């Protein structure tokens, strides 16, 4: 289901409503700030081609749900000031939805504009809409366009942000990342080679021990694991049994921030 909205906040609210709706089995939901979908996605021979073509002023949301959920999704779009512009069965779509989600979006954009880069951040459920608005107020669309993916945190839906960036300098890039951190949006920095500065954030004793067993000489990826260079774990907590990806999002809980 593709839906268009007059504002980013309305598109984001719709995506959160869709993800939280108990009667609508959703596989995924994504939001694209205008003019991202129009400029980088809508001209693809793909699912983004809508019955009502989007314009550069449309904020677009894309939802994959069970067929029985299309009616409720349409009503949620209307309740949030939007309009469903396309409904298509997954087997009839020229490309699957995942071709337009997560970093596939980034790759579509980079194919058309090599100057595009991105960030990875988290907007926790209770503050998600507030943070979407805060980012939009802070950055001009020529420098940052928000691309949001719905993620469930402890039963509630928030956003993973894979915003597209066009920073003027390397220093400006790091200013943007620092601003997100200072405003309660943890950054999983894709612009560093150091494991602990990216998505992992922390390395525990089990991970350090595995490195010692698998690469006792430290010849693989030298300089990329701070815990190995310092020969001490960066945390005493046990590893998340669900893996490093889940651990990264658990660390994104900023509810204690004032």
């Amino acid at each position: 289901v593709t839906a268009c909205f007059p504002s980013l906040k309305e598109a984001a609210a719709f995506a959160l409503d869709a993800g939280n709706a108990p009667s609508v089995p959703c596989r995924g939901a994504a939001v694209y700030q205008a003019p991202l979908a129009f400029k980088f996605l809508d001209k693809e021979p793909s699912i983004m081609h809508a019955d009502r073509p989007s314009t550069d002023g449309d904020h677009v949301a894309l939802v994959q749900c069970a067929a029985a959920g299309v009616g409720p999704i349409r009503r949620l779009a209307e309740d949030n000031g939007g309009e469903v512009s396309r409904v298509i069965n997954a087997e009839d779509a020229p490309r699957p939805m995942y071709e337009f989600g997560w970093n596939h979006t980034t790759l579509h954009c980079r194919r058309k504009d090599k100057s595009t880069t991105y960030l990875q951040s988290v907007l926790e459920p209770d503050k998600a809409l507030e943070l979407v608005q805060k980012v939009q107020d802070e950055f001009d669309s020529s420098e940052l366009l928000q691309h949001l993916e719905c993620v469930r945190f402890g039963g509630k839906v928030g956003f993973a942000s894979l915003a597209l960036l066009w920073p003027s300098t390397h220093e400006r890039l790091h200013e943007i990342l620092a601003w997100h951190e200072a405003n309660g949006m943890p950054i999983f920095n894709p612009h560093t080679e150091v494991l602990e500065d990216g998505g992992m954030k922390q390395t525990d004793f089990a991970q350090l021990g595995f490195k010692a067993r698998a690469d006792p000489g430290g010849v693989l990826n030298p300089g990329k694991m701070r815990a190995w260079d310092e020969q001490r774990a960066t945390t005493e907590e046990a590893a998340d049994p669900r893996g490093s990806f889940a651990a990264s999002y658990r660390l994104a809980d900023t509810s204690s921030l004032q």
Side-chain angles (χ1 to χ4, degrees), residues 13 55 61 65 67 83 93 96 100 115 145 149 176-177 182 195 200 218 230:
T55 70
C65 66
E83 175 187 359
F100 303 96
S115 68
L145 285 175
E149 296 282 343
I176 295 170
L177 301 183
L195 187 68
M200 285 287 290
E230 298 175 359

Side-chain angles (χ1 to χ4, degrees), residues 53-203:
S54 70
T55 70
D56 60 1
D58 283 329
H59 303 271
V60 173
L62 192 62
V63 174
Q64 186 170 22
C65 66
V70 171
I73 288 292
R74 192 184 295 274
R75 289 191 292 273
L76 287 174
E78 294 171 354
D79 288 347
N80 284 286
E83 175 187 359
V84 169
S85 59
R86 180 142 197 210
V87 177
I88 188 170
N89 291 328
E91 59 267 23
D92 297 328
R95 292 190 187 183
M97 178 191 172
Y98 60 72
E99 286 286 354
F100 303 96
W102 298 91
N103 273 126
H104 289 268
T105 302
T106 312
L107 295 174
H108 279 295
C109 297
R110 283 191 52 79
R111 185 172 65 176
K112 295 188 176 183
D113 182 353
K114 299 298 188 207
S115 68
T116 307
T117 187
Y118 73 108
L119 59 76
Q120 297 175 154
S121 186
V122 168
L123 284 62
E124 64 176 283
D126 291 341
K127 298 179 182 177
L129 290 180
E130 173 191 338
L131 294 173
V132 167
Q133 189 63 52
K134 183 176 283 191
V135 172
Q136 187 176 19
D137 292 343
E138 179 70 18
F139 299 100
D140 188 82
S141 60
S142 64
E143 183 173 52
L144 184 152
L145 285 175
Q146 294 186 68
H147 162 214
L148 307 167
E149 296 282 343
C150 285
V151 177
R152 196 172 295 279
F153 299 84
K156 288 175 145 183
V157 176
F159 290 123
S161 172
L162 289 90
L164 299 168
L165 305 177
W166 293 270
S168 55
T169 63
H170 188 69
E171 290 72 24
R172 178 56 181 162
L173 168 65
H174 286 280
E175 287 175 3
I176 295 170
L177 301 183
W179 182 90
H180 280 75
E181 288 274 4
N183 284 276
M185 290 166 276
I187 289 289
F188 304 139
N189 189 1
H191 303 280
T192 178
E193 76 282 2
V194 179
L195 187 68
E196 292 88 350
D197 294 341
M200 285 287 290
K201 299 294 186 184
Q202 298 176 346
T203 302

